[in-house]
Amino acid sequence: MVVVMVPEATQEEVDAVVQLVRSAGGDAFVSRGVSRTIVGLVGDVNDFDALNLGSLSGVVQVMRVSAPYKLVSREHHPARSVIRVGGVPIGPDTMSVIAGPCAVETPEQTLEAARMAKRAGASLLRGGAFKPRTSPYSYQGLGEAGLKILAEVRQETGLPVVTEVIDAESVDMVASYADMLQVGARNMQNFSLLQAVGRAGRPVLLKRGFSATIEEWLSAAEYIAQRGNLDIVLCERGIRTFETATRNTLDISAVPLVQRLSHLPVIVDPSHSGGRRDLVLPLTRAALAAGADGVIIDVHPEPLRALCDGDQALVESDIQEIAEVVTVLSPLMGRALTMAESSAPSARPGALAAR
Amino acid sequence: MVVVMVPEATQEEVDAVVQLVRSAGGDAFVSRGVSRTIVGLVGDVNDFDALNLGSLSGVVQVMRVSAPYKLVSREHHPARSVIRVGGVPIGPDTMSVIAGPCAVETPEQTLEAARMAKRAGASLLRGGAFKPRTSPYSYQGLGEAGLKILAEVRQETGLPVVTEVIDAESVDMVASYADMLQVGARNMQNFSLLQAVGRAGRPVLLKRGFSATIEEWLSAAEYIAQRGNLDIVLCERGIRTFETATRNTLDISAVPLVQRLSHLPVIVDPSHSGGRRDLVLPLTRAALAAGADGVIIDVHPEPLRALCDGDQALVESDIQEIAEVVTVLSPLMGRALTMAESSAPSARPGALAAR
Amino acid sequence: MVVVMVPEATQEEVDAVVQLVRSAGGDAFVSRGVSRTIVGLVGDVNDFDALNLGSLSGVVQVMRVSAPYKLVSREHHPARSVIRVGGVPIGPDTMSVIAGPCAVETPEQTLEAARMAKRAGASLLRGGAFKPRTSPYSYQGLGEAGLKILAEVRQETGLPVVTEVIDAESVDMVASYADMLQVGARNMQNFSLLQAVGRAGRPVLLKRGFSATIEEWLSAAEYIAQRGNLDIVLCERGIRTFETATRNTLDISAVPLVQRLSHLPVIVDPSHSGGRRDLVLPLTRAALAAGADGVIIDVHPEPLRALCDGDQALVESDIQEIAEVVTVLSPLMGRALTMAESSAPSARPGALAAR
Amino acid sequence: MVVVMVPEATQEEVDAVVQLVRSAGGDAFVSRGVSRTIVGLVGDVNDFDALNLGSLSGVVQVMRVSAPYKLVSREHHPARSVIRVGGVPIGPDTMSVIAGPCAVETPEQTLEAARMAKRAGASLLRGGAFKPRTSPYSYQGLGEAGLKILAEVRQETGLPVVTEVIDAESVDMVASYADMLQVGARNMQNFSLLQAVGRAGRPVLLKRGFSATIEEWLSAAEYIAQRGNLDIVLCERGIRTFETATRNTLDISAVPLVQRLSHLPVIVDPSHSGGRRDLVLPLTRAALAAGADGVIIDVHPEPLRALCDGDQALVESDIQEIAEVVTVLSPLMGRALTMAESSAPSARPGALAAR
């Protein structure tokens, strides 16, 4: 059950709802969005019916929500949301490219990758300083030193930073450097981490787990929302299937389906889905044509020397093609490309021809 | 191992290759394409090396092919193939829409669906007269009576007919009505059927099995090719995964990947992949943007009364949008839309905006 | 809807039911079992209610069945069935081992494998003469020559023969040699083949498809039953999952679950499930302890020279252990081992200790 | 690369290895087991070869290990390990039952479930105080209050306690109550948690992730081992597949396969695998017959009132059957049942007959 407050609801009005619910043996979680405040109730719905919550001051509406997720559901929030990351909007009217190196390795590599990202049409910089790796013997990232490099490159290029956080303890530290906190696929049901980023005051990029159903993915987003943070962007990055020709199987249908079930933006990671450089361009076109609100792409100045996932990173010669794709598709999809600089070419016949 | 003959190779020259291989304990399969003839060898490669096949009259080239499929492999046939169905080309330079009812039910329903198909931009008519269904208690199709309806509707509309064949016995009968024979997902490894359609003198639409790897799919195509028929179009129609929110999971990555591995055209079935009418449009956009050579779509004048898969059929109000998608995307993808009539609108900003 | 006839129902009584159903626009399929005859109805249940079928002469009971399969359902046939293959019973009171070579290669190899099978406790001989292979360049079997070898080895050893049939055309020919017809995993939804074996007058071993749900598997069995043949044994042989360490993933839970849903016997193929010789013994123990009515196992005198699936074949040194497993587990599971000869050792502590 | 030290190696000798490796630009992790100390090296193997580590004092052996996991690999530790939990051994010579309620709800429910567990043959008590649930609106457990109940029930019954820990922050608190720390399926790749339990001085029960390959599972165990804790028991609990008739698909093949790849004990959770009470008994028999070192089972005095997973909990009437299964199978598998009290019946024919 969800209680929607009027935009101008006071703290006292919200507290009154929470206390009444708790007095009836339930619990209540407050989520303050930009335009309104929502209170999610946990407990026996029948007990709450007797409380006449709708009659309390400041309450607009009391809704039963049938899905296991409520605050992130489109059922109770029909308008699709816009999430702002360092001033850059991600939502239904824009097309956003996030790009950068899989892992931050050196200041030079990161700066060069960020410049490639800009030329590709990116308005946000990705880069991992903490890398959760299957084997403890694989490269684990630079840690806080990597975050400092990202902050410097942001200073240099103007690109806000998206970076992964891997445990609850380090959320505040990472948030002090990052514009957006990424929760990776392996941590999608690390509920302590979800609750910590829910309190961190930064927008969150929530990747879908390897084998998470759409319902589980949205329920994970609900854990973040329940702690008061509705600034969540969902990222489809491929699921695990029997097919071994690709690293993962991009579930392209998830894009339009999640947009029907949730008001949150959905972007796609064509790099980790396919795990092959030669699939990034066609999967980017597919994702944006399916209606994705953006893409997140690995680029690297020297993929052969990359410490992480070099096989899937785009190189300099791919950059112009990505720029063309987003330039051509954004107006056709009724969206504005959120570019850091305007250097992309105009549309021409055959611009998207498969290469 | 594959022996490529000169275009003007005589039957005697081809027979000489076959006999030499058989004399060495191997076997040989001849495939006559439009422009050249290929002989695929089965047996011990080392034995064949000693035969000096390259020195025989009429032989252009002798190739070792590493994949378990050879004739359909791009490794030995770098140029992507064009397959003609009733005069309509499917290949790298065109974008083709096949549309029609899932099942042929009545002459009126089929004709009306064919007219919807044409308005949607289709140049080929689909429609099932033999329906392989999970339960024997589900509707199994009209059989030959359905094929007669399809032939009449072809007469009326000019659309060549694509229809499913479900066993080797009925291949010749179905081929006498159809312009293209469809092998369904459940029969992808029905090798007797594959060999029968390989001898049928009609182009074949080979759907990917529910849980077939890309290698298994191309190996199934090889069974058809080995019987002399290289006029094969592959159709990605979704694979089986743990996700239950969609009927199947469209493996969009398979489109560019198969185009790298095989010279055969690849189209996508957005209707059976998602199993939901509201996903057909975004999945069509995604498929074509990923580089698919076409799509095959269910349409029905009255889906609520459909005897088969009514949930996924497009209705009249969707037709204009599909027409816009293919009109806008074909030039951008560097392709010509193979339309039955030219009634589609021109491109305008926002034409593809997700709805 | 299912109509159960009295054991002594005449042909006229059965025909009367069928004609009444057809006159109401439906269709009816007659299955004659050993002890009773069942008529399965296809069409609108509400139409049939009005027919008062229960009042017809010879009718015991008219039942609505909710599953998409009816004749094979335990809902309408609570007692678990016993299927006899060349006189050997497979069912709830026995434990049956089927063993032999994956493919029939030579008379000597087949005879030697059959003798290994007997020493392992087998009462039935398996062996493939028609091998449906993923690639057309893999060994496809000896065909009818292989069936003749099997018939000779049956003569020599007394073991009834289980062998695969791969298309409807060859069902009668294969049935003239075999005691039991196997339908392989790739053909589980080859409905023409299912209907042909349903008319062949031989018991059928129906393997589960790579990615078939239990409901689809039982629906496939229904296609056979509907043609009048209820002598069906189901075989779990592993399903396709993301795990690549084993060839397939043995779905051990399917054994008890299918026994609850269907009255048909269920056996397990530990050889094709794991695809590794070292897993055959533990998976055999697991299958029989889970309650399987038997197992089907690959054995080969010289696996390194096997033309098909040599990695998974048991060798001479494994035979004694398999014999011990079935000897020890059969009484504990309340079953009699259906052995061709009585040479197995008696139970001793540690007899099943993992090796 | 792994350096094995002599049993009596001093701290100085171990430190010397670590410092030499670090001076060469690598890193080293020390694991002290009961009988020996192992140092795992991270970095370039070629650099380490030049160090002549084998010549250092206290070093027995220097091994290259090819798998992405090393310390948990059987390649470098051929003898299968025995892990002791509150004095109870889990390993190759014993058969251990862990049983109890899915969630601790009240002192009475927990005590009653523990008594059921003992009667079922259990030597260890399971019970969750922290429940990671897909939806934030599901029951999340009693927290520390639940741990206190478990400690009281241990006092009452003598059963050591196995309980889940869900984040790094609470590891020490949970470890102060528990005899064994469980890491759940959703947290299998929560590397911060794995490292925290690696330092906690308690044995760990590591459940396999929903879609984790065997290699990923063992690599997760390696994260724990690398922090100095080799007291790890692996638990197969079903993987995610397309089959929806069971909650998960028990990967029974993983039991013998992991025992070949790793020296760690492997147990099976038949309750969460099948998710149905009627499958627990056959899956328990299958698991133990496959060679599992134990099972972990949900029991509940009143499943209809359970706050978590009541559908799969065994009830009083099932207890005797479980006791019979473990009593009968343990000697046959060459194992001693680690029972808390000796009240189980002796073996009789038909004792395991499927019910």
Side-chain angles (χ1 to χ4, degrees), chain C residues 46-352:
Chain C
N46 299 315
D47 292 348
F48 302 153
D49 277 345
L51 301 178
N52 281 322
L53 292 164
S55 65
L56 291 189
S57 170
V59 171
V60 171
Q61 200 178 1
V62 179
M63 304 169 72
R64 289 183 177 232
V65 180
S66 55
Y69 44 87
K70 302 179 200 300
L71 303 174
V72 306
S73 159
R74 198 159 175 186
E75 202 180 335
H76 98 278
H77 187 315
R80 299 198 54 224
S81 294
V82 176
I83 310 301
R84 295 189 169 272
V85 181
V88 175
I90 303 179
D93 300 324
T94 51
M95 187 178 283
S96 304
V97 179
I98 307 172
C102 185
V104 172
E105 299 165 14
T106 66
E108 297 71 30
Q109 166 253 13
T110 306
L111 179 58
E112 202 169 334
R115 288 176 172 155
M116 291 171 70
K118 281 185 86 164
R119 287 196 298 276
S123 50
L124 295 162
L125 174 65
R126 63 151 293 156
F130 294 91
K131 304 298 303 175
R133 304 298 296 279
T134 297
S135 168
Y137 302 106
S138 299
Y139 181 68
Q140 310 271 323
L142 292 179
E144 190 165 1
L147 297 176
K148 288 180 176 155
I149 293 175
L150 286 169
E152 287 160 13
V153 172
R154 172 178 51 200
Q155 190 74 13
E156 185 86 20
T157 61
L159 296 175
V161 164
V162 182
T163 198
E164 182 158 1
V165 58
I166 61 172
D167 50 31
E169 294 91 324
S170 57
V171 164
D172 289 341
M173 186 270 283
V174 177
S176 73
Y177 294 96
D179 298 282
M180 182 177 222
L181 300 173
Q182 176 180 319
V183 175
R186 289 177 182 82
N187 278 317
M188 196 203 79
Q189 291 193 314
N190 179 342
F191 299 122
S192 298
L193 177 58
L194 296 177
Q195 291 170 340
V197 299
R199 290 183 298 256
R202 281 280 178 282
V204 178
L205 183 66
L206 179 64
K207 290 201 147 189
R208 181 179 183 182
F210 294 141
S211 65
T213 62
I214 286 173
E215 186 170 300
E216 289 167 338
W217 188 18
L218 294 175
S219 298
E222 186 79 7
Y223 270 93
I224 301 171
Q226 225 192 32
R227 286 301 182 270
N229 187 353
L230 272 166
D231 290 339
I232 305 165
V233 174
L234 300 165
C235 179
E236 161 64 33
R237 42 81 67 220
I239 57 173
R240 188 157 278 185
T241 70
F242 63 83
E243 178 59 77
T244 56
T246 44
R247 183 170 174 180
N248 297 284
T249 297
L250 176 60
D251 183 6
I252 191 75
S253 317
V255 174
L257 196 53
V258 168
Q259 289 174 342
R260 275 163 180 70
L261 296 171
S262 172
H263 56 90
L264 300 176
V266 183
I267 69 170
V268 167
D269 181 340
S271 305
H272 285 78
S273 302
R276 296 166 52 128
R277 183 187 149 214
D278 65 352
L279 293 183
V280 174
L281 199 64
L283 294 183
T284 296
R285 292 195 308 260
L288 297 175
D293 300 304
V295 285
I296 179 167
I297 297 178
D298 283 15
V299 299
H300 198 287
E302 295 179 276
L304 290 178
R305 303 183 62 182
L307 294 177
C308 175
D309 292 344
D311 290 347
Q312 71 198 29
L314 292 189
V315 298
E316 188 54 46
S317 59
D318 304 312
I319 296 301
Q320 174 67 7
E321 291 184 272
I322 287 285
E324 279 198 20
V325 165
V326 294
T327 307
V328 170
L329 280 180
S330 48
L332 286 174
M333 298 299 294
R335 294 169 180 267
L337 180 61
T338 58
M339 288 196 68
E341 57 187 25
S342 55
S343 59
S346 55
R348 55 181 171 79
L352 306 186

Side-chain angles (χ1 to χ4, degrees), chain B:
Chain B
M1 197 174 257
V2 167
V3 176
V4 185
M5 308 296 293
V6 295
E8 65 278 12
T10 64
Q11 186 62 41
E12 289 68 35
E13 287 169 337
V14 173
D15 287 349
V17 171
V18 172
Q19 282 164 26
L20 191 57
V21 168
R22 289 190 178 151
S23 71
D27 205 355
F29 294 92
V30 179
S31 291
R32 297 188 174 279
V34 173
S35 60
R36 59 178 181 170
T37 295
I38 289 162
V39 187
L41 310 193
V42 183
D44 188 329
V45 169
N46 299 315
D47 293 348
F48 302 152
D49 277 345
L51 300 178
N52 281 322
L53 292 164
S55 64
L56 291 189
S57 171
V59 172
V60 170
Q61 199 177 3
V62 179
M63 304 169 73
R64 289 183 177 232
V65 179
S66 56
Y69 43 86
K70 302 178 200 300
L71 303 174
V72 305
S73 159
R74 198 158 175 189
E75 202 180 335
H76 97 277
H77 186 318
R80 298 198 55 225
S81 294
V82 176
I83 311 301
R84 294 189 169 273
V85 182
V88 175
I90 304 180
D93 300 324
T94 51
M95 186 177 283
S96 304
V97 179
I98 306 172
C102 185
V104 172
E105 299 165 14
T106 66
E108 296 72 29
Q109 166 254 11
T110 306
L111 179 59
E112 201 167 337
R115 287 175 172 154
M116 291 170 71
K118 282 183 84 163
R119 287 196 298 278
S123 49
L124 295 161
L125 174 65
R126 63 151 292 155
F130 294 92
K131 304 298 303 174
R133 304 298 296 278
T134 297
S135 169
Y137 303 107
S138 298
Y139 180 68
Q140 309 272 323
L142 291 179
E144 189 166 0
L147 298 176
K148 288 180 177 155
I149 293 174
L150 286 168
E152 288 159 14
V153 171
R154 173 178 49 200
Q155 190 73 15
E156 185 85 23
T157 61
L159 296 175
V161 164
V162 182
T163 197
E164 183 159 0
V165 58
I166 61 173
D167 49 31
E169 295 91 324
S170 56
V171 164
D172 288 342
M173 186 270 283
V174 177
S176 72
Y177 294 97
D179 298 282
M180 181 178 223
L181 300 172
Q182 176 179 320
V183 174
R186 290 176 182 82
N187 278 317
M188 194 203 80
Q189 290 193 315
N190 179 342
F191 299 122
S192 298
L193 177 58
L194 296 177
Q195 291 171 340
V197 298
R199 290 182 299 258
R202 280 280 178 281
V204 178
L205 184 66
L206 179 64
K207 290 200 146 188
R208 182 180 182 181
F210 294 142
S211 65
T213 62
I214 286 172
E215 187 170 298
E216 290 167 338
W217 188 17
L218 292 177
S219 298
E222 186 78 8
Y223 270 93
I224 301 171
Q226 226 192 30
R227 286 302 181 272
N229 187 351
L230 272 167
D231 290 340
I232 307 165
V233 174
L234 301 164
C235 179
E236 160 66 33
R237 42 78 69 219
I239 57 173
R240 188 157 278 185
T241 71
F242 63 84
E243 178 58 78
T244 56
T246 44
R247 183 170 175 180
N248 297 284
T249 297
L250 176 60
D251 183 7
I252 191 74
S253 317
V255 174
L257 196 53
V258 168
Q259 289 175 342
R260 275 162 180 69
L261 296 171
S262 171
H263 56 90
L264 300 176
V266 183
I267 69 170
V268 167
D269 181 339
S271 304
H272 286 78
S273 303
R276 298 166 53 129
R277 182 187 149 214
D278 65 353
L279 294 183
V280 174
L281 199 64
L283 294 184
T284 296
R285 292 194 309 260
L288 297 175
D293 300 304
V295 287
I296 178 166
I297 298 178
D298 284 15
V299 300
H300 198 286
E302 294 179 278
L304 290 178
R305 305 184 61 182
L307 295 176
C308 176
D309 293 343
D311 290 348
Q312 71 198 28
L314 292 189
V315 298
E316 189 55 45
S317 58
D318 304 312
I319 295 302
Q320 173 67 8
E321 290 185 270
I322 287 286
E324 279 198 18
V325 165
V326 294
T327 308
V328 170
L329 280 180
S330 49
L332 286 175
M333 298 300 294
R335 294 168 180 269
L337 179 62
T338 57
M339 289 197 68
E341 57 187 24
S342 56
S343 61
S346 54
R348 56 181 171 78
L352 306 185
R355 272 165 287 201

Side-chain angles (χ1 to χ4, degrees), chain D residues 55-309:
Chain D
S55 66
L56 289 190
S57 171
V59 171
V60 171
Q61 200 178 1
V62 179
M63 304 169 72
R64 287 185 178 229
V65 180
S66 57
Y69 44 87
K70 301 176 200 302
L71 303 174
V72 306
S73 159
R74 198 158 174 187
E75 199 179 335
H76 97 278
H77 187 316
R80 297 198 56 226
S81 294
V82 177
I83 310 300
R84 295 189 168 272
V85 181
V88 175
I90 304 180
D93 300 324
T94 52
M95 186 177 283
S96 305
V97 179
I98 307 173
C102 184
V104 172
E105 298 166 15
T106 66
E108 296 71 31
Q109 166 255 9
T110 306
L111 180 58
E112 203 168 334
R115 287 177 172 153
M116 292 170 71
K118 283 183 83 164
R119 287 195 298 277
S123 49
L124 294 162
L125 174 65
R126 65 151 291 155
F130 294 91
K131 304 297 304 174
R133 303 300 295 280
T134 297
S135 168
Y137 302 106
S138 299
Y139 180 68
Q140 310 271 321
L142 290 179
E144 190 166 1
L147 297 177
K148 288 181 177 156
I149 293 174
L150 285 168
E152 288 160 14
V153 172
R154 171 177 51 198
Q155 190 74 13
E156 186 85 23
T157 60
L159 296 174
V161 164
V162 182
T163 198
E164 181 160 0
V165 57
I166 59 173
D167 51 30
E169 295 91 324
S170 57
V171 165
D172 289 341
M173 187 270 285
V174 176
S176 72
Y177 293 97
D179 298 283
M180 182 178 222
L181 300 173
Q182 176 180 321
V183 174
R186 290 177 182 82
N187 278 317
M188 195 203 81
Q189 290 193 316
N190 179 342
F191 299 122
S192 298
L193 177 57
L194 295 176
Q195 291 171 338
V197 299
R199 290 182 299 256
R202 282 279 180 283
V204 177
L205 184 66
L206 179 64
K207 291 198 146 190
R208 181 178 182 183
F210 294 141
S211 64
T213 63
I214 286 172
E215 186 169 301
E216 289 168 336
W217 189 17
L218 293 176
S219 297
E222 185 78 6
Y223 270 94
I224 300 172
Q226 225 191 31
R227 286 304 183 270
N229 187 353
L230 272 166
D231 291 340
I232 306 166
V233 174
L234 300 164
C235 179
E236 161 64 34
R237 41 79 70 217
I239 57 173
R240 186 158 278 185
T241 71
F242 63 82
E243 177 59 77
T244 56
T246 44
R247 183 170 174 182
N248 298 284
T249 297
L250 176 60
D251 182 7
I252 192 74
S253 317
V255 173
L257 195 52
V258 168
Q259 289 174 343
R260 275 163 180 70
L261 296 171
S262 171
H263 56 90
L264 299 176
V266 183
I267 69 170
V268 167
D269 181 340
S271 305
H272 285 78
S273 302
R276 298 167 52 130
R277 184 188 147 212
D278 65 354
L279 293 182
V280 174
L281 201 63
L283 293 184
T284 296
R285 292 195 309 259
L288 296 175
D293 301 302
V295 286
I296 180 167
I297 298 178
D298 283 14
V299 300
H300 198 287
E302 295 179 278
L304 290 178
R305 305 183 61 182
L307 295 177
C308 175
D309 292 343

Side-chain angles (χ1 to χ4, degrees), chain A residues 155-175:
Chain A
Q155 190 73 15
E156 186 86 20
T157 60
L159 296 175
V161 164
V162 181
T163 197
E164 182 159 1
V165 58
I166 60 173
D167 51 30
E169 295 93 322
S170 57
V171 164
D172 289 343
M173 187 270 284
V174 176

Side-chain angles (χ1 to χ4, degrees), chain A residues 244-281:
Chain A
T244 55
T246 44
R247 183 171 175 180
N248 297 283
T249 298
L250 176 60
D251 183 6
I252 191 74
S253 317
V255 173
L257 195 53
V258 167
Q259 289 174 342
R260 276 164 179 68
L261 296 171
S262 172
H263 55 90
L264 300 176
V266 183
I267 70 170
V268 166
D269 181 341
S271 305
H272 286 77
S273 303
R276 298 167 51 128
R277 184 188 147 210
D278 65 353
L279 294 182
V280 174
L281 200 64

Side-chain angles (χ1 to χ4, degrees), chain A residues 317-339:
Chain A
S317 57
D318 304 312
I319 295 301
Q320 173 67 8
E321 291 185 273
I322 287 285
E324 279 197 18
V325 165
V326 295
T327 306
V328 169
L329 281 180
S330 48
L332 286 174
M333 298 299 294
R335 295 169 180 266
L337 179 62
T338 58
M339 289 196 69

